[in-house]
Amino acid sequence: MGHWSGTSVDRSLRALAIVAVLVVLGTVDGAAAQAGWARLDFGGGRYARRYLPTSVAICDPLPLVLFLHGAGGTPEAYESHLEAHAESLGLVLVLPAASGAGWSDADTPTLNAALDAVDAELVVDGTRTYVAGHSAGGAWAYILGYGSPGIAAIFSMSAPFYSVGGVADPSYVPPIHMYYGADDPNYTGGSAAALEAQWTRLGAVHETDVQT
């Protein structure tokens, strides 16, 4: 698959075609992939957590969600919240760990290494690759999603406002679902409204889900 360079990624449909050819040739072997959570280590303290549902066939092209934790958080803190949803929907989860308190271009090597590791053990559907995240991770998710072609959709939870100047592929602008609590400062303080205006300007289909 493609790789991030700074805040952009090229996960084009060509990657899906290459994977399909490799499956026919028998060079992609998912037999080593174990269902459940696995830790992917990349050296230097960099790592990600991967979840493979027990309900899927690993020889099939699988949808993938790259989920970014909030500032100061860890991938492990989100596992119990996400596992049941991934299992019921048949989604592969990839939860990388940020190198600092928040997300930045310094985390590009970890994101790329995580995607490479999953590509090596599973067949990922390049048309169903999603980016999601909580708080600062949610904001970085739409920076990645709109700055990169090949992302199907974006989900952010309690995300602050980050400026997005344009979209990588005007022919397909990923839709975004923004989730907030009614008392969330990022909602009551104006971030949600500013983001809605930004998505309208960029032509992104968006919806805001506010819960008590």
Side-chain angles (χ1 to χ4, degrees), residues 38 47 52 60 70 75 89 96 109 111 119 123 136 146 148 174 186 209:
Y47 75 98
L52 175 63
D60 293 336
L89 296 171
L111 298 178
D119 285 340
V123 181
Y146 291 124
S148 313
N186 282 326
D209 180 2

Side-chain angles (χ1 to χ4, degrees), residues 44-192:
R46 297 182 301 117
Y47 75 98
R49 297 284 290 174
R50 185 272 289 152
Y51 184 77
L52 175 63
T54 60
S55 57
V56 301
I58 58 176
C59 58
D60 293 336
L62 300 173
L64 180 146
V65 175
L66 182 74
F67 186 93
L68 309 178
H69 62 72
T74 65
E76 290 83 355
Y78 294 83
E79 291 182 5
S80 63
H81 299 285
L82 299 175
E83 180 176 328
H85 301 292
E87 191 69 41
S88 65
L89 296 171
L91 300 169
V92 175
L93 293 174
V94 179
L95 281 62
S99 58
W103 295 90
S104 70
D105 287 343
D107 298 303
T108 297
T110 300
L111 298 178
N112 288 334
L115 295 175
D116 284 343
V118 173
D119 285 340
E121 64 175 1
L122 299 171
V123 181
V124 175
D125 186 344
T127 68
R128 294 186 293 164
T129 297
Y130 310 93
V131 185
H134 172 230
S135 192
W140 200 251
Y142 54 71
I143 288 177
L144 291 176
Y146 291 124
S148 313
I151 302 301
I154 302 166
F155 173 82
S156 66
M157 183 168 61
S158 187
F161 176 79
Y162 277 26
S163 178
V164 177
V167 295
D169 182 8
S171 66
Y172 180 75
V173 182
I176 182 168
H177 181 101
M178 300 192 300
Y179 180 95
Y180 290 97
D183 297 326
D184 186 338
N186 282 326
Y187 176 69
T188 60
S191 283

